[in-house]
Amino acid sequence: MTSRTDLSQLSLAEKAALGSGADFWTSRAIGPVPALTLTDGPHGVRRQTGATDHLGLAGSEPATCFPPAVGLANSWDPGLVRRVGEALGREARVLGVDVLLGPGVNIKRDPRGGRNFEYYSEDPLLTGRLGAAWVGGVQSAGVGASLKHFAANNAEHDRMRASSDIDPRPLREIYLRAFSHIVRTARPWTVMCSYNRINGVSAAQNRWLLTDLLRGEWGFDGVVVSDWGAVVDRPASVAAGLDLAMPGGPGAGDDRVVAAVEAGALDEAAVTAAATNVAGLAERIHQARTRTVDEPGGTAAASEQTDPGAHSEENTGSGVSGGLADTHHRLAREAAARCVVLLQNDRDLLPLTPGRNIAVIGPFAAEPRYQGGGSSHVTATRIDSPLAEIRALGGDTVTYHPGFTVTTGDADPADLRDEAVAAARDAEVAVVFLGLAADQESEGFDRDHLELPAEQLELLAAVAREQPDTVVVLAHGGVLRLEPVARLAPAVLDGALLGQAGGGALADVLFGVVNPSGRLAETVPVRLQDTPAYLNFPGENSHVRYGEGLFVGYRWYDARDLDVCYPFGHGLSYTGFGYSGLSAGPAGDGFTVRLTVTNTGTRPGREVVQIYTGVPDSAVQRPVRALTGTAVTGELAPGASEQVTIDVLREDLAYWETRIGRWVLEPGTYRVWAGASSRDLRADIDIDLAGDTLRIPITLDSTLGEAMADPRAAAALSAVFGEMADSMGSGDALGVDMMRMIASIPLNRLALFGMASEQLDALLAAANTTPPDSGERAD
Ligand code: BGC
């Protein structure tokens, strides 16, 4: 990053000190550079003014708890996520925070991952679009985002040590893709490196990751901050491109940085570069705040001071309150309602009619589970009780029965169950809240199964036996095995984690005040044994082999043609939508898809359109289809239509060609599907793309088959071999089996058959000459 702050007067020790924290949540004020406050994130501002920790132990000032990423992602709506980001930015300003530690954009590789609640999706495109929107929203308020955890942090087990061992294609195409998209399009002011190793090298000491890729290839110009406690060898981290080691304290290693420079083991330029980046971040924050204050109308945060670092004192310690808290609670409710997924709705059981006798069952109805555990845990400004909100909309014919306990208590489980079952029988409909308690999933550990507690399933079975009109409402951070629920309950609403206003949002959806439009951002498998990483999770001896390669999430289930319980992208509505007029036309290197979506039902609603693309005749391994575009319609009245236009970009079509270390857009026919889920494909169309000319250098190790497939090498071979090569080029002449055998002979073996080395050299030279007008791409 460039910085106009003059650091020339700073000593080496002062520059080194700028690269580590003053304490748990702040960087140091040194010379002209002010201290900056960084804090979690991502779904609320976790501003601690008393005891500090990054484990979710001590409290924090009240702030709005928006839906965590697991819920928010189910909206599939970057516009909504941006608004949540703006609100988070405003609260960060009020609470004196300069950098909010989010978004978490790691891919949900395995449903057992303990931190999946903090990540968006199993799909990189959806993750990238939502993460970019979050960054844009937060930074529009003059608060830096911290894109995390860079990179390949897909499990909690052994997270500070384990190496994520990933082949180049999945690394690029799955695990780095969202990071790349967000860095290049939303330009986060900071990136947080992860705890884990990537292919053996610690992220915090990984020069390829932090410098060559992040800054070199993607053009990142902000601050690389460490995850809290990720740095063990500070000089090595500085050399790799890490700017700010957090948290601070005596162990931060400033003295080791100085000693390394003095010993000639570390270039002082690296220390200066890190200090300059930190100074640049402070300037950037100041400039953004000056801009937002100067703008007509400003932002809601415009009344706050503009100087970073100077505001800890201004923070009154009362958290977010008053009108801002009210406004943001309403936004949290709107957002949460957009995240609820209607998984099934047999006999149109939902929406419920107010005034009916409704038995609400399950302690999560009275005390909702609304956020995950660990560093992201925030103190909400208020918490909507689903039960109270259901009563507010449903009337006083709503009764409540715990039915089971989430913690072992005095109550006899059998008594609780019998009472709830009797109430369900006497009511007209039962609404059963099921889910995982806070101690069953969290940052810091992975689950070892996907099951709901047996007690809850037994209760559901007993209720459903007595009451055919049973609705299940789910709360959980990680995916659950839902086959028993799907079998027992005609209607299922998935809330995942919805934040502090989830109770009101669920009531809105249950009674049809809001027509659900949420879609699953993660597949619900039939059973754990079907999942892609089942045999490679969580690894062994601090190595996790990403053996499923590219086939993560729906890419796996589709390639293996496996049944799933609910597919990626699934979600029903109280109305129906028709898709018509699908077309695809070239646009840039990619194409533009157009279609018309019509509300064919009787209620207003919005549809989430999903574009998937495949290359049926691809020369490389590919998923059957992958998400390459999405759009959320506006709220369509019954009978109304909307023209949807989606640009499918080169970056989302290209594959990483390992032989030349570049992205390549394969020429050929692409199949484009428009769907309401990854398994509800409504229309498809083919489009031909010119793509890139792929030139793999021909070497002595190339086979005859590879050489013959390359026009220039084939021409050169013909010249050398004359008729022999001609006949080798014809499967008929030699027979297909003979051709296949000959095709696998490497060129360097031709010497054994009498070819002179000069001939081979001439062949390679001719094959590898690039004609001036080849039109090959450099990227
Ligand atoms: C987490 C980060 C978090 C940091 C500060 C770490 O343990 O991995 O996501 O931002 O603590 O709380």
Side-chain angles (χ1 to χ4, degrees):
M1 190 190 294
T2 53
S3 160
R4 278 174 302 165
T5 311
D6 181 10
L7 301 184
S8 61
Q9 302 305 311
L10 296 190
S11 65
L12 171 62
E14 287 173 319
K15 285 187 286 187
L18 271 180
S20 73
D23 57 32
F24 214 84
W25 298 121
T26 53
S27 65
R28 292 176 201 271
I30 293 182
V33 184
L36 301 173
T37 300
L38 306 87
T39 200
D40 293 302
H43 60 270
V45 183
R46 184 167 183 266
R47 179 74 160 111
Q48 296 187 309
T49 46
T52 51
D53 73 283
H54 62 308
L55 304 172
L57 299 174
S60 54
E61 292 185 32
T64 308
C65 178
F66 289 97
V70 61
L72 200 56
N74 287 344
S75 73
W76 284 56
D77 190 346
L80 181 76
V81 174
R82 165 133 189 149
R83 287 171 58 211
V84 169
E86 289 166 357
L88 287 165
R90 279 193 290 269
E91 294 200 8
R93 290 285 293 275
V94 168
L95 292 167
V97 172
D98 301 307
V99 175
L100 194 58
L101 303 176
V105 300
N106 296 91
I107 293 297
K108 301 192 198 200
R109 172 176 176 249
D110 188 286
R112 288 165 288 184
R115 230 166 163 184
N116 282 4
F117 77 91
E118 229 179 309
Y119 296 147
Y120 290 107
S121 176
E122 67 190 23
D123 179 80
L125 180 120
L126 185 59
T127 299
R129 299 290 159 86
L130 299 180
W134 192 98
V135 170
V138 168
Q139 294 191 166
S140 73
V143 171
S146 197
L147 187 64
K148 68 187 190 184
H149 305 88
F150 191 51
N153 168 231
N154 311 102
E156 291 301 277
H157 173 78
D158 205 9
R159 67 173 168 160
M160 292 195 154
R161 217 173 40 164
S163 174
S164 301
D165 295 341
I166 317 179
D167 289 339
R169 280 196 64 195
L171 183 59
R172 292 277 184 163
E173 295 180 33
I174 303 290
Y175 296 100
L176 295 174
R177 210 165 197 152
F179 284 102
S180 160
H181 174 78
I182 297 166
V183 167
R184 287 181 295 101
T185 63
R187 309 194 73 79
W189 299 346
T190 81
V191 165
M192 184 192 292
C193 77
S194 56
Y195 287 129
N196 51 282
R197 295 178 162 87
I198 295 116
N199 291 328
V201 184
S202 149
Q205 295 178 27
N206 197 320
R207 189 172 167 84
W208 170 76
L209 188 75
L210 303 186
T211 297
D212 301 346
L213 182 74
L214 181 63
R215 294 189 192 276
E217 281 188 39
W218 300 348
F220 177 68
D221 64 354
V223 164
V224 176
V225 58
S226 75
D227 199 344
W228 267 232
V231 173
V232 286
D233 181 343
R234 184 77 186 288
S237 289
V238 173
L242 185 118
D243 302 309
L244 181 59
M246 290 299 288
D254 299 348
D255 49 348
R256 288 198 294 273
V257 171
V258 172
V261 172
E262 286 169 355
L266 176 66
D267 190 347
E268 183 169 352
V271 185
T272 307
T276 307
N277 287 335
V278 173
L281 175 62
E283 283 168 37
R284 192 170 240 174
I285 292 168
H286 178 76
Q287 278 161 14
R289 292 183 183 182
T290 311
R291 211 168 41 240
T292 53
V293 168
D294 289 347
E295 277 166 8
T299 69
S303 57
E304 303 303 307
Q305 52 65 52
T306 57
D307 286 334
H311 41 211
S312 317
E313 297 80 348
E314 295 199 14
N315 182 12
T316 57
S318 58
V320 173
S321 57
L324 188 65
D326 293 341
T327 307
H328 285 182
H329 187 74
R330 279 195 296 277
L331 175 60
R333 180 169 180 153
E334 180 193 339
R338 296 277 302 282
C339 301
V340 175
V341 184
L342 178 61
L343 292 177
Q344 61 189 48
N345 193 21
D346 298 351
R347 297 181 272 111
D348 288 337
L349 184 53
L350 292 175
L352 302 175
T353 310
R356 292 181 79 197
N357 292 320
I358 301 172
V360 173
I361 297 169
F364 295 120
E367 286 179 45
R369 171 94 201 288
Y370 60 96
Q371 67 174 327
S375 60
S376 67
H377 196 274
V378 298
T379 303
T381 57
R382 69 190 79 158
I383 299 163
D384 280 357
S385 144
L387 177 61
E389 299 295 334
I390 289 172
R391 283 192 164 131
L393 292 181
D396 48 17
T397 47
V398 173
T399 60
Y400 171 64
H401 320 273
F404 62 91
T405 52
V406 285
T407 46
T408 320
D410 299 334
D412 179 344
D415 288 350
L416 288 178
R417 188 171 64 229
D418 294 348
E419 194 266 337
V421 171
R425 186 175 46 232
D426 295 343
E428 291 171 276
V429 56
V431 180
V432 186
F433 283 73
L434 304 178
L436 297 182
D439 61 357
Q440 289 166 331
E441 53 179 0
S442 169
E443 176 183 347
F445 65 90
D446 302 312
R447 287 179 299 161
D448 52 17
H449 62 78
L450 307 182
E451 303 298 321
L452 274 165
E455 186 191 358
Q456 296 188 27
L457 290 177
E458 283 158 19
L459 169 79
L460 176 62
V463 166
R465 255 196 310 274
E466 298 295 330
Q467 177 50 265
D469 287 355
T470 292
V471 180
V472 165
V473 179
L474 296 165
H476 56 97
V479 160
L480 297 166
R481 189 175 73 87
L482 291 180
E483 186 278 328
V485 176
R487 190 165 27 83
L488 292 167
V492 183
L493 275 185
D494 188 3
L497 299 177
L498 291 174
Q500 68 179 45
L506 285 167
D508 288 343
V509 172
L510 282 167
F511 288 98
V513 177
V514 172
N515 189 351
S517 58
R519 298 289 185 270
L520 291 175
E522 193 181 359
T523 307
V524 180
V526 173
R527 41 176 219 153
L528 177 60
Q529 293 88 330
D530 293 343
T531 57
Y534 180 63
L535 296 176
N536 284 304
F537 187 93
E540 200 166 51
N541 300 333
S542 298
H543 281 272
V544 190
R545 175 87 198 117
Y546 284 42
E548 69 286 358
L550 298 170
F551 298 93
V552 177
Y554 64 91
R555 288 162 165 82
W556 168 265
Y557 303 106
D558 288 350
R560 311 237 14 215
D561 202 12
L562 290 172
D563 283 342
V564 298
C565 188
Y566 297 110
F568 175 78
H570 171 75
L572 304 176
S573 166
Y574 297 149
T575 189
F577 295 97
Y579 290 41
S580 59
L582 176 67
S583 71
D589 282 344
F591 52 89
T592 298
V593 179
R594 292 190 173 79
L595 71 152
T596 303
V597 175
T598 304
N599 183 342
T600 55
T602 55
R603 286 172 175 268
R606 61 181 87 233
E607 174 70 331
V608 176
V609 177
Q610 303 163 36
I611 300 300
Y612 294 89
T613 307
V615 187
D617 297 323
S618 179
V620 296
Q621 191 183 48
R622 285 188 187 258
V624 180
R625 63 186 72 84
L627 187 73
T628 48
T630 68
V632 183
T633 68
E635 175 127 317
L636 297 178
S641 295
E642 183 175 315
Q643 299 280 336
V644 175
T645 302
I646 298 173
D647 289 325
V648 175
L649 308 176
R650 171 191 169 88
E651 70 175 58
D652 298 315
L653 296 167
Y655 75 95
W656 182 253
E657 175 52 74
T658 57
R659 291 170 294 179
I660 52 173
R662 279 189 200 154
W663 290 103
V664 167
L665 183 67
E666 192 176 10
T669 303
Y670 286 67
R671 181 150 304 154
V672 184
W673 291 266
S677 87
S678 62
R679 294 228 167 147
D680 181 6
L681 305 168
R682 302 288 182 83
D684 63 83
I685 191 167
D686 285 354
I687 182 165
D688 291 333
L689 296 185
D692 301 337
T693 308
L694 178 62
R695 290 282 299 147
I696 306 296
I698 301 294
T699 67
L700 286 176
D701 207 34
S702 304
T703 62
L704 272 167
E706 287 162 357
M708 292 303 291
D710 181 297
R712 273 168 293 177
L717 265 178
S718 310
V720 175
F721 283 115
E723 285 186 357
M724 180 187 164
D726 289 343
S727 64
M728 278 174 35
S730 151
D732 290 334
L734 282 174
V736 174
D737 51 344
M738 188 57 71
M739 269 306 297
R740 289 176 69 175
M741 195 157 71
I742 292 175
S744 70
I745 298 175
L747 296 181
N748 60 12
R749 305 300 201 282
L750 295 181
L752 301 175
F753 303 109
M755 183 179 280
S757 61
E758 300 78 46
Q759 279 181 303
L760 269 176
D761 291 345
L763 169 69
L764 293 188
N768 291 316
T769 310
T770 305
D773 60 346
S774 68
E776 286 169 26
R777 296 182 60 110
D779 61 343

